[in-house]
Amino acid sequence: MVFLLLAMEGFFSGHAFADGFVDRLVKFDGKLLKGKLDEDDNLEFLGQGKWEAPVKLRFSLFVRTNFELVPYIETETRGILGEYTITFTVVPKTRRASYQNLRFKILSSTGSELVSSGVAAPNGSGWVIGIATDEKPFDILVSYTKERGRELTPVPAEGSDPS
């Protein structure tokens, strides 16, 4: 009976670990990292951006429930999208999940919210997401909502008819 209670407690308290993000190692600008859960159950990856400053990328539980993260996160400075860019790829786990369900909150190191622009480009069965700001981002929270929005500009797949 004690074993059964312990097993049930582990199952219900470990729901965030069953999402496929937590156990996966991610290459953040070439450096292998393992994410960790913060106090709000967001999974965070802390890396050193190409702009020589730390940057934290956090994924909410609902993002991890509806998407799988491809294990590469890249940063770039003075790129096509903007001064400071972070790129990652997600693959939906459910039919209803789309890049249009993702929301982004980007903070500077002082805690002020930054204006951003972003794109979503098809990549196999998922999307490459690129988020750019004109100021150095420090904390990027990726969350999920059931309502579809237009925070990201879709980029057509190569070879598709743009009309």
Side-chain angles (χ1 to χ4, degrees):
M1 188 63 117
V2 172
F3 175 74
L4 183 59
L5 286 173
L6 288 174
M8 286 178 62
E9 179 183 326
F11 175 76
F12 289 113
S13 67
H15 68 278
F17 292 100
D19 59 35
F21 272 61
V22 175
D23 293 330
R24 179 169 291 175
L25 293 174
V26 171
K27 278 197 173 187
F28 197 120
D29 283 335
K31 183 178 180 186
L32 208 54
L33 299 174
K34 185 170 182 169
K36 68 176 190 168
L37 291 175
D38 67 12
E39 64 275 357
D40 295 324
D41 209 20
N42 297 312
L43 181 66
E44 67 179 47
F45 295 95
L46 182 60
Q48 183 78 8
K50 297 260 172 90
W51 45 86
E52 300 299 322
V55 63
K56 183 179 359 176
L57 182 60
R58 298 181 299 144
F59 296 93
S60 74
L61 174 62
F62 291 112
V63 170
R64 300 187 327 264
T65 300
N66 288 286
F67 293 94
E68 187 169 332
L69 178 67
V70 174
Y72 299 98
I73 299 170
E74 305 268 334
T75 61
E76 181 182 17
T77 58
R78 296 179 190 93
I80 296 171
L81 294 180
E83 188 67 24
Y84 304 99
T85 305
I86 191 156
T87 307
F88 58 93
T89 302
V90 291
V91 176
K93 291 183 191 177
T94 62
R95 277 185 217 205
R96 68 182 183 276
S98 165
Y99 71 87
Q100 294 172 323
N101 298 106
L102 298 175
R103 299 294 178 267
F104 306 92
K105 183 173 184 177
I106 304 170
L107 302 175
S108 69
S109 59
T110 61
S112 58
E113 193 162 351
L114 301 177
V115 175
S116 66
S117 60
V119 298
N123 183 17
S125 59
W127 297 281
V128 175
I129 308 295
I131 304 296
T133 64
D134 289 332
E135 297 179 54
K136 288 181 186 177
F138 173 72
D139 185 6
I140 301 169
L141 173 62
V142 183
S143 60
Y144 180 88
T145 180
K146 289 182 180 180
E147 294 142 18
R148 293 186 178 214
R150 303 216 182 269
E151 284 197 28
L152 299 172
T153 303
V155 176
E158 287 184 24
S160 68
D161 185 4
S163 55

